[in-house]
Amino acid sequence: MSNYPSEITAGEGERLTEVIKDWALAHGLTVRPPPAVVPAEVDPAGILATPVPVTLFPSPFPQVCFDQAIKVQKAYNELYASISQDEAFLTQIVKDIGDGDDFIRELWKVHLRVKEEGYVQHKSLGLFRSDYMVHQDGAGSPPQIKQVEFNTIASSFGGLSSKTSLLHKYLSLTEYPLLENPMQRGVLQLPENDSAVGLAAGIRHAFIQYGPPSTSYQKCVIFLVQGGERNIFDQRHLEYELQKSEEPLIPVFRLPFAEILQHTTIVEGPGRQLLYRPPQLPSHTFEVAIIYMRSGYGPSDYPDQSAWEARYYLERSAAIKCPTVLTQIAGTKKVQQVLATPETPSNPSILPRYISKDSESISNLADTFTNIYPLDETEAGLRARKIAVDPELCKSYVLKPQREGGGNNIYRSAIPPFLKSIPESHWPSYILMELITPPPVKNTILRNGKLEQGGVICELGIYGTCIWDQQSKTILHNEQAGYLLRTKGDQSEEGGVAAGFGCMDSVNLV
């Protein structure tokens, strides 16, 4: 498939652009337009939507790597559920991150305050996504997946991903057979992708696990969102899937993070039920069973102390959180580094602490790790510091802070000057990761009505849903839940679609 996808004529590019734009708008493969496309004053009522950036063709992806990623997801769910239950380990992680990260320190304070009072909700919901790139050492070597990161909060694009798979399936039946270099129907290997259904099923299971309401009010699910969210349709697709449920019926409401304290109250007493009054429906009150966070993952969501009070308020309530503070901290890059740092006699792997030693899951997990190092004063950390400040050696690495959301990483030659610009005492709050070398792939991206053609880099995300009980240490639900493929031009370092760098894609298995 080295000549896939084939070159297309200018006329074919115009035709595909027209078809994709209309299909995307008709099926909700959309975002609110960025200000660069439609200034806010042009659309004050927020009535416009624009097609999400997307590839014209599903990108080729090695079947062996796709299968590897799907197979290991339930082991990853179990691993991170177990880490979330290990307070002693997470205490050490926060200590190791040190004073260089106020955000993580403030999150930890929320946990300590609730712990002192006593948690009333012991069940946790994880909607996870494990992100990978294909790594190939050289031209003849077999491809393998290596993990880029593991997301435990606001794992987005499940709603748009399943739509992208449907778009490419539609094009494979209607448009690709008509090209000058035609692709016959059925020749592309396009796997089913039920990411929206799978993620909604995880929330539904947690809604049932919450049990019957213990107040006189009906239960509901809250999507905790950011104000002015452009990626709203991705979230809406999950809501619509949830609301297809008739038994039980699941009311869903969107609550901006900044309005938590305004519209919710806690029933003071042993139960600490969280009640929500929809501002537009003041005669209705609901008991909140699930808080699904699509916000709260970065410092910008906490502009003042009242935002931290709001997070504490949610954490101490009886609602099942997705995620809890502990699960959010389990998703830091520091945890990924501790899991993946190469094993030595003086530094054995911690995987057997969480996964049975005899289990093949341990080797399946370890096979996905890439080389990640601390920047502390341990033996591995001091070696990594030498690499990070060396103007030549640093070119094979990326420096990552403990952040979600794209746009935060420092690449290659930018690493030494960046480290010089911050106090050395803050270095341990970063991790140094060897860059993954993907095989060359080409595609055409449709972004804001314009075509961009050339080399691309693909990142595969596998979704997982998991429910566990922190107290009894039992896993109540564990499923793999579809996939995401994000693609960016091979000159772009960052891959976040919402952050404006990448685009939606789907896999053609090869």
Side-chain angles (χ1 to χ4, degrees):
M1 297 286 283
S2 58
N3 61 343
Y4 169 87
S6 302
E7 295 292 319
I8 54 171
T9 66
E12 288 169 342
E14 284 173 26
R15 163 87 186 164
L16 284 170
T17 296
E18 191 180 301
V19 170
I20 290 170
K21 279 193 306 189
D22 290 349
W23 192 100
L25 288 166
H27 292 82
L29 183 53
T30 50
V31 290
R32 293 264 185 243
V37 176
V38 178
E41 59 272 18
V42 176
D43 184 28
I47 60 169
L48 298 181
T50 187
V52 78
V54 67
T55 56
L56 295 199
F57 300 93
S59 288
F61 198 90
Q63 168 110 42
V64 62
C65 293
F66 186 80
D67 292 345
Q68 183 190 359
I70 294 284
K71 182 181 178 186
V72 78
Q73 184 58 38
K74 285 167 79 166
Y76 262 118
N77 293 347
E78 182 187 340
L79 174 62
Y80 275 84
S82 301
I83 290 171
S84 302
Q85 295 163 39
D86 190 347
E87 192 197 13
F89 172 67
L90 293 175
T91 302
Q92 188 59 47
I93 287 292
V94 173
K95 194 175 162 192
D96 289 347
I97 290 170
D99 295 334
D101 198 314
D102 295 340
F103 177 65
I104 297 297
R105 225 174 39 247
E106 289 298 322
L107 268 180
W108 191 246
K109 282 184 195 167
V110 170
H111 160 65
L112 293 178
R113 281 177 73 189
V114 180
K115 183 189 172 189
E116 194 176 337
E117 184 180 17
Y119 279 90
V120 292
Q121 180 55 262
H122 299 292
K123 287 172 182 164
S124 293
L125 167 64
L127 297 191
F128 298 142
R129 197 186 71 223
S130 187
D131 292 339
Y132 307 95
M133 287 168 75
V134 175
H135 179 72
Q136 204 161 11
D137 287 320
S141 64
Q144 50 189 321
I145 52 159
K146 293 296 175 186
Q147 189 183 59
V148 177
E149 64 180 357
F150 192 89
N151 302 278
T152 62
I153 182 169
S155 305
S156 54
F157 298 112
L160 296 183
S161 180
S162 42
K163 296 290 180 190
T164 307
S165 294
L166 290 174
L167 165 67
H168 285 148
K169 205 156 275 190
Y170 169 78
L171 295 172
S172 76
L173 296 173
T174 59
E175 297 299 320
Y176 302 158
L178 306 178
L179 299 174
E180 265 186 33
N181 292 306
M183 282 175 251
Q184 297 311 321
R185 291 182 184 88
V187 75
L188 300 181
Q189 298 298 310
L190 309 178
E192 290 297 318
N193 185 13
D194 289 329
S195 48
V197 173
L199 291 169
I203 299 173
R204 182 177 179 274
H205 277 287
F207 186 80
I208 293 166
Q209 282 287 341
Y210 180 86
S214 41
T215 61
S216 57
Y217 305 114
Q218 190 183 354
K219 291 191 300 182
C220 78
V221 170
I222 293 248
F223 279 42
L224 201 61
V225 299
Q226 292 172 324
E229 175 62 75
R230 285 183 44 238
N231 192 29
I232 184 170
F233 304 107
D234 177 52
Q235 300 169 7
R236 288 289 193 192
H237 289 311
L238 295 195
E239 289 178 47
Y240 302 149
E241 280 301 329
L242 262 181
Q243 289 168 320
K244 286 179 183 174
S245 170
E246 292 183 19
E247 192 48 57
L249 279 171
I250 305 178
V252 180
F253 297 99
R254 297 172 63 79
L255 175 63
F257 194 93
E259 296 173 20
I260 293 167
L261 296 174
Q262 224 174 312
H263 301 302
T264 65
T265 52
I266 287 179
V267 178
E268 286 308 338
R272 279 189 241 150
Q273 297 85 357
L274 184 66
L275 303 182
Y276 171 67
R277 270 189 195 83
Q280 299 100 333
L281 306 166
S283 62
H284 291 271
T285 301
F286 292 85
E287 181 176 332
V288 182
I290 311 293
I291 298 161
Y292 170 46
M293 296 183 68
R294 291 294 292 257
S295 58
Y297 51 80
S300 60
D301 287 318
Y302 304 85
D304 51 35
Q305 195 50 42
S306 75
W308 285 109
E309 282 303 309
R311 182 67 190 270
Y312 161 67
Y313 192 77
L314 296 181
E315 197 72 11
R316 70 185 286 266
S317 79
I320 294 176
K321 271 71 71 180
C322 179
T324 61
V325 164
L326 289 175
T327 306
Q328 185 171 346
I329 289 173
T332 55
K333 306 295 185 289
K334 182 66 187 174
V335 169
Q336 186 192 6
Q337 173 258 303
V338 171
L339 290 169
T341 293
E343 193 174 359
T344 62
S346 60
N347 180 39
S349 167
I350 66 158
L351 282 179
R353 183 164 165 173
Y354 303 112
I355 305 279
S356 162
K357 259 189 178 153
D358 314 326
S359 165
E360 69 165 339
S361 295
I362 287 202
S363 58
N364 290 343
L365 288 163
D367 286 346
T368 67
F369 295 160
T370 189
N371 290 328
I372 311 179
Y373 303 98
L375 279 183
D376 54 21
E377 292 179 353
T378 60
E379 187 188 341
L382 293 173
R383 270 204 313 273
R385 287 180 175 208
K386 281 183 182 163
I387 294 168
V389 298
D390 186 293
E392 279 308 310
L393 294 176
C394 71
K395 289 177 181 174
S396 302
Y397 290 85
V398 54
L399 189 70
K400 293 187 172 188
Q402 314 299 316
R403 289 290 172 275
E404 302 300 327
N408 299 301
N409 299 334
I410 298 97
Y411 290 85
R412 299 186 171 95
S413 298
I415 296 172
F418 175 79
L419 286 174
K420 284 195 178 75
S421 74
I422 62 171
E424 204 167 309
S425 61
H426 289 187
W427 289 14
S429 63
Y430 291 81
I431 58 113
L432 190 71
M433 179 174 175
E434 197 170 346
L435 285 164
I436 299 164
T437 317
V441 175
K442 58 177 184 168
N443 210 325
T444 303
I445 295 170
L446 174 60
R447 188 192 310 280
N448 300 331
K450 296 184 175 65
L451 295 177
E452 306 165 8
Q453 197 167 6
V456 295
I457 292 169
C458 304
E459 190 172 303
L460 177 73
I462 304 295
Y463 296 103
T465 60
C466 195
I467 303 166
W468 64 96
D469 189 310
Q470 293 277 121
Q471 203 170 39
S472 65
K473 310 286 189 196
T474 50
I475 291 182
L476 308 166
H477 165 93
N478 182 4
E479 294 295 339
Q480 179 265 326
Y483 82 89
L484 161 73
L485 194 70
R486 287 173 299 174
T487 292
K488 60 187 179 182
D490 59 11
Q491 304 309 305
S492 162
E493 304 283 20
E494 294 284 358
V497 182
F501 304 103
C503 74
M504 301 297 295
D505 197 351
S506 75
V507 300
N508 169 32
L509 297 176
V510 295

